[in-house]
Amino acid sequence: MLVLDAGNALFKSRDSGMAPDARPRAELLLAQMDAQGTTAMAVGARDLVLGVDFLRKQTRKSKLKLLSANLVDGQGKLLFPASVVTEVGGLKVGVVGVSPATPEPLPMEPQATGKAAGSTMRGLPLQPAIAAEVKRLREQSKVDLVLLLAAAPYVDVVQVADSVEGVDFVVQSHEGRGSGIAQRQGLTTVVPPGDRGRQLARLELSVDGPGRFVDNSEPLRAKENLRIVEMSLSKARERLQSTTDAAGKRALTEAVASLEARRTALEKTAGQGATQAPRTHLLSYIQLGADVPADPVVQKSVERVEPPGSAAH
């Protein structure tokens, strides 16, 4: 199992750094990510609320790696590692992190009232930074799989997915889009990770050969859609038989033809589940609601930051 976080996890908003519980909350989240075996997290805009130095100090002794292939200081030096390579299930996996691109330099640390601005940082354009790191992982580290943790706007991630070769999956965070389905986008597959800790996304991979990944949920969705289309087709045929109006017959004939074509396409997709592809993925979600019991030790730590009955709890 490989545990990852797409970023934007530590603070509730970009201007919440002055809240009394902001720092202890972020410290607790980072500590628990490390304790629970999280391998890497991308550095997002909502992770930089207390600055770069805060993140570095909090993870200096942890196994959790904070990643960003495009976040640089004023001299153009990377502020965090661009990627990490790990082995999972006999596969060599490269994990790349990326932060939002910024048109102008930003303060590296929160600016105190009455003090001059200090060092700056900047998010470089996503596509060149990701492409260079993926190429390095493929050619030098010889990884079998590349995962991109993209703590960047969805529209920017889609452009990357359409143009950068060598990325198998992208896990995107920035706007809080919530759960959904894995979407084939250009040369890769974009995976929604859930939102604000309410869901845990689980991506199961089967890698038994070369080729593109096939979504194992597509045949299941096709079977359900096929059932709906067949019901609609049956009703359309019944109406066609009972309709005497010429215009109505033409419209229903076209509708029947369209539904039959749709049925044929769905039957083909549904039948793909019978033959296992060499590379498959299946996305599901674990809803972290009241039915998932809390760890007593972790619960006590949470309640020290957000006491029961408080607005934040």
Side-chain angles (χ1 to χ4, degrees), residues 213-292:
F213 278 89
V214 175
D215 188 350
N216 265 352
S217 68
E218 286 183 357
L220 299 176
R221 291 199 300 271
K223 288 179 181 178
E224 177 60 25
N225 289 333
L226 182 59
R227 184 183 67 82
I228 296 171
V229 167
E230 286 178 339
M231 291 174 58
S232 299
L233 183 57
S234 177
K235 292 180 181 179
R237 284 172 173 166
E238 289 177 3
R239 290 180 61 192
L240 179 59
Q241 290 178 353
S242 62
T243 298
T244 57
D245 176 66
K249 275 186 172 294
R250 283 195 301 270
L252 286 168
T253 299
E254 291 176 0
V256 167
S258 177
L259 287 167
E260 286 176 340
R262 176 63 174 157
R263 182 181 65 179
T264 300
L266 288 171
E267 286 175 341
K268 182 179 179 180
T269 302
Q272 291 174 355
T275 304
Q276 185 76 359
R279 288 188 168 206
T280 64
H281 68 83
L282 181 63
L283 176 65
S284 60
Y285 291 90
I286 300 173
Q287 298 295 324
L288 301 178
D291 56 329
V292 179

Side-chain angles (χ1 to χ4, degrees), residues 22 50 61 70 72 96 107 114 270-271 304:
L50 292 183
K61 297 181 180 180
N70 69 321
V72 298
V96 181
R304 282 196 289 269

Side-chain angles (χ1 to χ4, degrees), residues 96-310:
V96 181
V98 69
S99 306
T102 58
E104 301 293 337
L106 300 172
M108 193 181 296
E109 306 298 336
Q111 186 174 345
T113 303
K115 290 188 177 181
S119 301
T120 61
M121 60 182 175
R122 184 175 181 182
L124 299 177
L126 272 62
Q127 184 176 331
I130 295 169
E133 189 60 19
V134 171
K135 183 179 180 181
R136 188 189 70 79
L137 289 172
R138 291 288 188 185
E139 295 180 356
Q140 298 181 23
S141 299
K142 305 296 182 183
V143 297
D144 302 301
L145 193 71
V146 174
L147 306 176
L148 173 63
L149 303 178
Y154 183 76
V155 63
D156 296 338
V157 171
V158 168
Q159 292 177 354
V160 168
D162 282 334
S163 57
V164 176
E165 295 186 18
V167 178
D168 294 295
F169 294 93
V170 179
V171 187
Q172 185 265 344
S173 79
H174 187 74
E175 302 91 347
R177 298 173 64 86
S179 57
I181 64 173
Q183 294 184 330
R184 187 73 186 178
Q185 183 68 50
L187 304 172
T188 185
T189 299
V190 179
V191 178
D195 181 33
R196 295 175 63 186
R198 294 186 177 123
Q199 305 92 14
L200 179 67
R202 178 179 178 178
L203 186 66
E204 298 176 70
L205 304 181
S206 175
V207 184
D208 296 321
R212 59 171 286 183
F213 278 89
V214 175
D215 188 350
N216 265 352
S217 68
E218 286 183 357
L220 299 176
R221 291 199 300 271
K223 288 179 181 178
E224 177 60 25
N225 289 333
L226 182 59
R227 184 183 67 82
I228 296 171
V229 167
E230 286 178 339
M231 291 174 58
S232 299
L233 183 57
S234 177
K235 292 180 181 179
R237 284 172 173 166
E238 289 177 3
R239 290 180 61 192
L240 179 59
Q241 290 178 353
S242 62
T243 298
T244 57
D245 176 66
K249 275 186 172 294
R250 283 195 301 270
L252 286 168
T253 299
E254 291 176 0
V256 167
S258 177
L259 287 167
E260 286 176 340
R262 176 63 174 157
R263 182 181 65 179
T264 300
L266 288 171
E267 286 175 341
K268 182 179 179 180
T269 302
Q272 291 174 355
T275 304
Q276 185 76 359
R279 288 188 168 206
T280 64
H281 68 83
L282 181 63
L283 176 65
S284 60
Y285 291 90
I286 300 173
Q287 298 295 324
L288 301 178
D291 56 329
V292 179
D295 182 287
V297 176
V298 176
Q299 185 68 29
K300 288 182 180 179
S301 299
V302 170
E303 290 177 353
R304 282 196 289 269
V305 177
E306 298 180 349
S310 66

